[in-house]
Each structure stands twice: as C-alpha cells, then as structure tokens.
Amino acid sequence: MAVFRAITAEEEAATALMFALKHRGYPLSEKLLPHDHNQKSAWMPFIEVIGKLFGESGVPKPRITLKFSVEARVDVSISAKALNIQGAKEGDFLSPDEPLNMTIRSSKIGSDDAEIHTFEEDLMNWANEKGAKSIRDYIAEAANIRNLVLYAQDRGIPKCEHVDGFIIERRRRVVVLLFAVIMVLQARQPQAFAAQALEAFLRVMRGVTQAGFDFASAEGGGRFKVITHLDPDGAQHISQIHAAESFYTFESRFSYKWSRGWSFGP
C-alpha cells in the first residue's frame, strides 16, 4: 500500500501540472489528458531529460528559491560571473522575470540558424540509457508499475520488499513536479520554455506536429534590467544593458534566448 500511494502521489502531482498548464491557457494544452496514466508517468522522464541537457550544455547550475508570500513563487538565478557577463562580480546573479521565460534553440556547429529545440534526440538517448527501445516504451513500462502493485498476477499476489528507496525517490519526484506547478501558475501569461516543453511532450505522447506558441514574439521586445548589487540599506543600483535580442551561447550548439525582464541581484 505504501508503494501504491507513492506511485499515485507522483501521478497526482503530474495531474496538477497538466491542469496548471490548462488553467494558464497554454497553446495545445487542450490535448493534455490529465486522467491518462501514461501521460501522468511521462512528465518526470521529460523533466529529467531537460535537466540532463542543461547540465551537459555548460549552463552553470542555477540557484532555485521557493518563496512563501501571499502566493508561493519560485525564482531561478544563475551566476552572472559564470556567464561571463562584463562587470559581474561574485555574488551577482542573472534572474528572469519568470523562471521559465526563456527558450532553448539548437543548431549544427558552424550554422547560424538555430531552431526551437524539440528534445527528440535527447529523449531517445535517455530511453536507450535506461534500456528501453524508445521513450514511449519506457513510459508505458513505468505506467504499468501501478498495475503490477495493485493487481494479482498469474505468479500470485504482488509483494514489495526494501521499499524505502522507492518511496524516497517518489517523494523527490513529487517535489520537483510541485515546483513546476508553482512556476507555471505564478505567471499569468504562458512562459516560452514551458510552452516549448509542452510541445515536445505532446509531440511524443499525442503525435502533435503543429507549433502552438509564437516563440519569435516571446523572444523579442523589452530590455534586460540589471541590478549590480544591493546596498546594506536595501537601495538598488540599476542600469540597462542588453536588448532582448541578445543571447548567450554554450558549447556552440545551444543558444538560450531570454525573453525579457532579466536582472542582476544578490
């Protein structure tokens, strides 16, 4: 029963994420199936693939902060010095107006044309590393775990042993999913990277091929806001730096375009 409850906890957290995307009116979110067990089981593999991609592409490890106020929110910041921002000092961080307000584009080395990344190759490689032929096969097998625990098989009644690690891992997944729910809900408008991940998710789970989000418009307009440091009395020193069309490139393959509202700050 403990194992089953841990599995359903992850499923309910994934369901909350799907309803959050629907609530905020994300393009193509009408194709999400919150009661489908395969879709519930697919979100953590997607999130782990994205995390692996960020880690391997050279992006400095971000600082993630959960703030409790009238409405909970998550803020993400990256060391400005690690990003080689001119004039940045230790303790300066680059933070978006909203944590998922960015895009990730990919291009072949030597090419100037960077397109919205679809994660297809990343998902395939990740599934192969897990011993599955495809990401669909991996997700189907993951979704079936609940049935193996819940129902008796020809071999008899299911039995679970040494479940502590399993439950702790499910707790970690629930926390990750709930952070994602907060990040989606705290912004009143769809965030570009969340829309990008949703399109990739639906491409695998529902065979969706059309684009639902205007990424070009999201990446344009506005300027970055820079807060170099905070005085002891709380006063902020602010200056404008880059137009929103500026972007940073990591390992020649991935370009991260930040849409608007970025700031330096401790």
Side-chain angles (χ1 to χ4, degrees), residues 1-195:
M1 180 54 69
V3 167
F4 180 71
R5 287 178 180 269
I7 293 171
T8 55
E10 179 184 343
E11 289 185 342
E12 293 309 306
T15 299
L17 178 56
M18 286 188 272
F19 275 118
L21 292 165
K22 287 176 175 286
H23 181 67
R24 286 294 180 234
Y26 275 78
L28 303 178
S29 61
E30 70 278 1
K31 297 185 181 296
L32 289 172
L33 303 175
H35 302 294
D36 181 83
H37 290 297
N38 278 11
Q39 287 201 17
K40 292 178 183 181
S41 300
W43 280 103
M44 277 308 302
F46 269 79
I47 291 173
E48 290 182 6
V49 166
I50 291 171
K52 185 173 185 289
L53 172 63
F54 270 80
E56 293 179 349
S57 62
V59 179
K61 187 176 181 179
R63 182 176 66 181
I64 301 175
T65 306
L66 175 62
K67 296 182 178 179
F68 294 95
S69 54
V70 177
E71 294 183 357
R73 67 173 286 116
V74 174
D75 287 321
V76 175
S77 54
I78 300 176
S79 169
K81 189 172 183 179
L83 289 174
N84 297 318
I85 303 298
Q86 186 175 3
K89 304 182 297 297
E90 291 291 345
D92 289 343
F93 288 84
L94 194 66
S95 301
D97 54 349
E98 298 295 351
L100 302 176
N101 224 356
M102 62 180 185
T103 56
I104 175 172
R105 291 176 174 265
S106 60
S107 65
K108 295 181 180 179
I109 295 177
S111 173
D112 294 329
D113 297 326
E115 298 181 351
I116 293 295
H117 197 59
T118 62
F119 304 102
E120 290 175 322
E121 183 177 347
D122 308 285
L123 290 165
M124 180 181 68
N125 292 338
W126 188 88
N128 291 340
E129 290 175 4
K130 299 292 184 179
K133 294 181 180 179
S134 68
I135 189 66
R136 283 178 174 269
D137 288 343
Y138 178 86
I139 291 169
E141 184 177 345
N144 192 49
I145 293 177
R146 70 188 308 280
N147 294 330
L148 295 177
V149 173
L150 189 60
Y151 301 111
Q153 307 292 322
D154 292 340
R155 291 171 292 181
I157 298 173
K159 182 179 181 181
C160 300
E161 297 179 344
H162 310 296
V163 300
D164 289 359
F166 183 91
I167 294 173
I168 291 172
E169 168 61 15
R170 259 45 189 191
R171 182 181 64 181
R172 182 191 69 85
R173 295 184 183 189
V174 169
V175 171
V176 170
L177 288 166
L178 292 181
F179 265 68
V181 171
I182 294 171
M183 286 191 283
V184 168
L185 289 177
Q186 70 188 42
R188 303 301 177 184
Q189 301 296 325
Q191 300 171 70
F193 189 68

